[in-house]
């Protein structure tokens, strides 16, 4: 009897060894776990509330943007003309003469505010506001700063749009940390947004819908168009040299997408239909396009320009506002090891 048991155990061990040799391996699968709300403020007026207003398109808007850094956060309380700053302490930065539609944090924690009233990017919170970047106005055209981002070395990237005289243009400009113009990474023109054509002299040979900076300085560009189930991301080095394309597939039809950010691991975070009830999702993919996680989130009834930010470690900060409260909720990446056939 004992000999029979021994042979059975030896057989099981042999089968296990053969399975490992055949390609069974231990892999880590990832998901994002909710870690709670980091900001909750009522809509309204007053010190503890945040403002909201009806835009020219008839939609209801709240704070238009927020930025996260190392233990810091800045929120553009646009309709109360201020920026809420959270660092070692919480305080309010006045922006009474500005229309702040995006904010960014420098590596040192300073706040950059994109002001579409003056078509400028200001450094605020340290004495009087100081103009860092100015976007020139052309007579007969309407310009707007679409997005501002700061690279790990402090360089400033500004995406802008310009339309008038039957044309529409989108550009991505790169500046030094002091605001000195370095290069025009992209400039696309066309008779309408859907027909943009990149200018031949631009290093980025593709029209831009929006962009994000990775912690290592690479530029991730979401291009216009795409299929109902896919979005294409083009990755460039900081100087505009192309690296590769990435295709991200959604589990649901895409009516609207938002490129939210990139982690230190090169994971790409894409928001899908974030303002559409029952259809809002987050998709996280590797730098090669392989899906790591996708999960439903609450649709946001109060519109914004920036719905999410990604920290270097992969934490996602997402606008999950309700009709009565402005909420930013954090998700953190969680790994689980499983056995899988290769």
């Amino acid at each position: 009897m004992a000999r029979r048991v021994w042979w059975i155990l030896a057989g099981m061990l042999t089968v296990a060894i053969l399975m490992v040799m055949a390609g069974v391996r231990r892999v880590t699968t990832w998901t994002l776990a909710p870690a709670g709300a980091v900001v909750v403020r009522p809509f309204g007026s007053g010190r503890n509330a945040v403002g909201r207003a009806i835009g020219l398109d008839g939609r209801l808007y709240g704070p238009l943007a927020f930025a996260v850094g190392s233990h810091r956060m800045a929120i553009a309380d646009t309709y109360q003309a201020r920026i809420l700053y959270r660092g070692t302490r919480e305080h309010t930065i006045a922006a009474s003469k500005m229309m702040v539609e995006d904010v960014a944090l420098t590596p040192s924690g300073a706040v950059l505010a994109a002001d579409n009233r003056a078509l400028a990017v200001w450094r605020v919170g340290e004495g009087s506001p100081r103009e860092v970047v100015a976007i020139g106005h052309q007579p007969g055209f309407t310009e707007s700063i679409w997005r501002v981002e700061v690279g790990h070395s402090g360089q400033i990237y500004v995406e802008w749009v310009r339309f008038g005289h039957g044309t529409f243009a989108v550009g991505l400009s790169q500046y030094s940390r002091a605001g000195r113009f370095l290069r025009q990474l992209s400039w696309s023109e066309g008779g309408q947004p859907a027909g943009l054509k990149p200018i031949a002299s631009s290093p980025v040979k593709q029209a831009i819908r929006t962009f994000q900076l990775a912690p290592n300085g690479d530029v991730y560009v979401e291009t216009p168009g795409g299929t109902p189930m896919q979005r294409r991301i083009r990755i460039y080095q900081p100087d505009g040299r192309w690296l590769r394309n990435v295709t991200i597939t959604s589990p649901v039809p895409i009516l609207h997408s938002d490129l939210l950010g990139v982690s230190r691991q090169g994971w790409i975070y894409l928001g899908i239909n974030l303002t559409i009830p029952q259809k809002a999702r987050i998709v996280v993919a590797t730098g090669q396009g392989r899906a790591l996680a996708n999960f439903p989130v609450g649709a946001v009834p109060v519109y914004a320009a920036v719905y999410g930010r990604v920290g270097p470690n992969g934490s996602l900060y997402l606008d999950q506002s309700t009709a009565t409260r402005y909420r930013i909720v954090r998700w953190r990446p969680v790994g689980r090891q499983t056995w899988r056939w290769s």
Side-chain angles (χ1 to χ4, degrees):
M1 183 67 179
R3 180 175 295 181
R4 183 178 181 184
V5 170
W6 186 91
W7 280 110
I8 292 174
L9 292 175
M12 293 174 63
L13 179 60
T14 301
V15 170
I17 293 173
L18 290 174
M19 288 177 65
V20 171
M21 294 176 63
V24 175
R25 59 193 178 95
R26 198 173 187 180
V27 298
T28 301
T29 58
W30 293 91
T31 186
L32 294 185
V38 295
V39 174
V40 179
R41 291 195 178 226
F43 287 114
S45 59
R47 182 173 180 273
N48 293 320
V50 294
R52 60 182 179 180
I54 297 177
L56 296 176
D57 56 5
R59 294 172 172 175
L60 185 62
Y61 287 85
L64 291 184
F66 68 94
V68 295
S70 178
H71 307 294
R72 300 179 179 93
M73 177 177 289
I75 299 171
D77 189 6
T78 309
Y79 300 108
Q80 292 201 109
R82 63 182 185 172
I83 296 169
L84 307 177
Y85 183 83
R86 299 174 60 178
T88 54
R89 62 184 181 87
E90 295 188 15
H91 65 280
T92 299
I93 301 171
S96 57
K97 297 181 179 180
M98 301 180 188
M99 175 58 72
V100 179
E101 299 197 23
D102 198 9
V103 288
L105 292 172
T106 69
S108 64
V111 180
L112 297 184
D115 170 22
N116 273 325
R117 186 162 291 154
L119 282 177
V121 176
W122 302 84
R123 188 183 182 106
V124 299
E126 302 170 347
S128 299
R130 180 170 62 86
E131 185 180 271
V132 180
V133 173
I135 304 297
H137 173 68
Q138 293 187 11
F141 291 84
T142 298
E143 297 93 356
S144 178
I145 297 174
W146 200 254
R147 173 153 295 177
V148 59
E149 296 283 350
V150 181
H152 70 292
S153 61
Q155 292 181 341
I156 303 168
Y157 295 74
V158 178
E159 182 184 3
W160 51 266
V161 298
R162 176 182 293 139
F163 58 91
H165 299 293
T167 66
F168 185 91
V170 178
L172 177 59
S173 306
Q174 185 185 40
Y175 300 83
S176 71
R177 67 177 65 193
R180 179 173 57 86
F181 178 79
L182 297 177
R183 59 175 62 88
Q184 190 73 43
L185 286 175
S186 175
W187 187 326
S188 303
E189 291 182 345
Q192 55 184 354
L196 292 177
K197 300 296 182 183
I199 304 302
S201 59
S202 302
V204 175
K205 304 297 184 182
Q206 185 70 37
I208 289 179
R209 182 180 180 273
T210 189
F211 79 102
Q212 289 286 348
L213 297 181
N216 67 354
D218 287 345
V219 184
Y220 285 63
V221 170
E222 181 185 356
T223 60
T227 72
M229 302 296 291
Q230 292 181 330
R231 286 296 182 265
R232 188 174 67 170
I233 309 297
R234 292 175 67 90
I235 306 175
Y236 297 87
Q237 292 181 344
D239 60 1
R241 286 183 291 175
W242 175 78
L243 289 175
R244 65 183 183 277
N245 293 338
V246 178
T247 298
I248 297 178
T249 301
S250 169
V252 298
I254 302 173
L255 302 177
H256 183 271
S257 60
D258 290 272
L259 180 59
L260 302 178
V262 183
S263 73
R264 185 179 291 115
Q265 301 94 326
W267 298 348
I268 304 169
Y269 290 63
L270 191 68
I272 305 294
N273 308 329
L274 292 179
T275 60
I276 304 175
Q278 311 302 322
K279 297 181 179 181
R281 301 187 72 85
I282 297 295
V283 175
V284 184
T286 67
Q288 290 71 42
R290 180 173 61 85
L292 285 173
N294 75 81
F295 54 95
V297 294
V300 184
V302 181
Y303 286 76
V306 175
Y307 290 100
R309 295 286 191 180
V310 177
N313 65 352
S315 290
L316 171 66
Y317 297 80
L318 188 67
D319 184 342
Q320 287 284 266
S321 297
T322 68
T324 59
R325 293 184 179 274
Y326 179 69
R327 299 173 67 246
I328 297 176
V329 177
R330 183 173 75 93
W331 273 265
R332 60 184 180 85
V334 176
R336 182 170 63 91
Q337 291 190 327
T338 58
W339 291 97
R340 180 179 297 174
W341 290 97
S342 62

